[in-house]
Structure formats: C-alpha cells, structure tokens
Amino acid sequence: MTSQTVGHGVRPGLPDDPRAAVAAPSPSCPVEIALDALRGRWTTLVVRELLRGERTFTELRQALPALSDKVLSDRLAHLAGAGVLVRTRQAGWPPRTRYRLTPRGRRLGPVLQALWDWGAEPE
Amino acid sequence: MTSQTVGHGVRPGLPDDPRAAVAAPSPSCPVEIALDALRGRWTTLVVRELLRGERTFTELRQALPALSDKVLSDRLAHLAGAGVLVRTRQAGWPPRTRYRLTPRGRRLGPVLQALWDWGAEPE
DNA sequence: CAGCATCCATTCAGATACTG
DNA sequence: CAGTATCTGAATGGATGCTG
C-alpha cells in the first residue's frame, strides 16, 4: 500500500527522491526545468515540428500559420536558451536560418510521448 | 535515420501520429490536456505531496508553507476538474476534507518521472 | 527572409480580509 | 478547519509596424 515508487523502480523515483523534497517551487528542480522548457503556448508544437526535422523560420510559420512571428521568435529564443535547439545562420542574401534540435531536444520526444499518453487516456 | 518513432515503438508515437497534426494549440490535444493539468505554479508540488498519500487542506499547507490558501484552493479545484484528485468532505465540526489522487492522478507519477529525468540530465 | 520594438488585453500569483 | 472575495502587480500572448 505504501510502496508506490513509480512501478519499475530503476530510477531514484518521485515522489520520494530526496531531491524532490522541496517545499517551494525551485528553478533547480528537474521537473520545473522540464516544464519551463515546454512552457508557453505553441511551444510543444514548435518542438513537434522540429522533431520531424530541421526547419527555417518561414517553414515553421507555414506549418503553424496562426502563430505570429513575434511569438515564434520568442519561442525559438526560449527553446535555444533551454538547450533544446540550435540556430544556424547562413551568410548571404536572402538570409537563411535553420533551427534544429540538440540531442537534448530530441530527448524531449519520450517526454512528450509520456504527456500524450496520459492526456489520451479515457476518463 | 528517419525512423525516430520514440524508441520502443508500441504507441502510435509522436510526432507522426495523425492526431498530432494540429496546426494550432487545441484543448483536445492529449499533450495540451496533460500540460494543462500540471499548469500553474505549485501544481506539481501539490501532486507530489498527494502521491505520498492523502492529505487534508491544512496538511498540504504545512507541507508547502509558502503557498497561500488562495492559490492552494485554486490548485485543488483545478486538479479536481482535471480528474487528478477527489475531495471528500466529512460531516461534523471541525470540518475535515481529504484530498486524494484518483487512479488517473496516480498515473501522473510516471509522467512527472519523465519530466524529472529530462530535467535532471546534464547539459 | 528573419527578425525586433511597441502597445494592449488578458491571465495569473500573491496579499489581505472575511465566512460556513 | 477549510475555504471564498477582492484587489494589485507582474507576466503573458497577440497585433501592428519597422529593420539588417
């Protein structure tokens, strides 16, 4: 009854891991780090798009037509700061910038899948 | 190279599942449903606390001393609406209300673990 | 093409004060 | 004990217009 421990206890495991014993929201809590990376409207859709392959700014806008360039710009900067993607500028005209996920960004795949699975459950 | 498919491909799988083909944030997207359930400061800490066992309002406040009763009240109502927890009132005085996770709420354990694991990775 | 600057409406968290 | 009501300040998100 008391032995919940997440099921297939390989990991330290929430909620009993000592590092989970915080009494207030903390930027160094791994859960907060992950949720912060995904924070904001459109963020997961941008990541989903990049999980399919690298994209330019315009390609992202075309894939998400209702997303304004201001917010897209915000999201890309935020995800870059979180180490999820990298921006590559190419010299010349017209300017071309490509966005692609880092290895860390690609590892968001299973995380989004876990969220998807939970949200897709009936009830 | 193109076969990402999340690794242990049992599920339909993001990002290629047809239901992931939305072009704008949608409340019916499973990922949005899950992130919405966890949305808001303190939310994951409340869930973590309840993963350890059922709690009363006061016990939650004691576990999270910096959390105001207004926000705690908001979070509990939100999580109840998301089907994560249930509230049980006991008649009599003083009033006693217990909060405990639903089966669906308990299934957030692995989701939080996935977030934790990602956020705990170096770099 | 790929963006940043500015402005505005809305949402949110926290503080304070009050009830069944 | 277990909340709700109200208010304020801060943080979004989106629209519009302008540049390297």
Side-chain angles (χ1 to χ4, degrees), chain A:
Chain A
M1 215 351 154
T2 52
S3 59
Q4 165 77 5
T5 60
V6 184
H8 50 294
V10 169
R11 304 278 186 172
L14 289 168
D16 298 317
D17 188 295
R19 293 173 300 166
V22 291
S26 156
S28 64
C29 168
V31 171
E32 306 256 335
I33 290 169
L35 287 176
D36 182 74
L38 296 175
R39 186 188 43 179
R41 213 153 115 83
W42 296 98
T43 306
T44 57
L45 294 180
V46 171
V47 173
R48 176 207 67 190
E49 208 51 36
L50 292 173
L51 278 170
R52 294 177 173 151
E54 62 174 49
R55 295 283 188 273
T56 65
F57 194 88
T58 301
E59 286 168 346
L60 289 169
R61 285 221 312 205
Q62 286 168 347
L64 305 169
L67 171 56
S68 76
D69 55 356
K70 185 265 204 178
V71 174
L72 175 54
S73 187
D74 287 352
R75 293 299 170 269
L76 292 170
H78 178 75
L79 290 168
V84 169
L85 58 80
V86 287
R87 171 185 315 207
T88 313
R89 308 185 102 105
Q90 258 154 341
W93 195 267
R96 197 140 255 257
T97 311
R98 281 109 102 39
Y99 294 90
R100 63 165 194 279
L101 296 182
T102 61
R104 178 175 175 76
R106 260 174 262 122
R107 275 180 236 123
L108 276 176
V111 175
L112 291 173
Q113 186 69 50
L115 290 164
W116 174 286
D117 291 343
W118 189 87
E121 278 169 7
E123 165 66 341

Side-chain angles (χ1 to χ4, degrees), chain B residues 12-86:
Chain B
L14 288 168
D16 298 316
D17 186 297
R19 293 173 301 168
V22 291
S26 156
S28 64
C29 168
V31 172
E32 305 257 334
I33 290 170
L35 286 176
D36 182 75
L38 296 175
R39 185 187 43 179
R41 213 153 115 82
W42 296 98
T43 307
T44 57
L45 294 180
V46 171
V47 172
R48 177 207 67 189
E49 207 51 36
L50 292 173
L51 278 170
R52 294 177 172 151
E54 61 174 51
R55 294 285 188 275
T56 65
F57 193 89
T58 299
E59 286 167 347
L60 289 170
R61 286 220 310 203
Q62 287 168 348
L64 305 168
L67 170 57
S68 75
D69 53 357
K70 185 265 206 177
V71 174
L72 175 55
S73 187
D74 287 353
R75 292 299 170 268
L76 292 170
H78 179 75
L79 289 169
V84 169
L85 58 80
V86 287

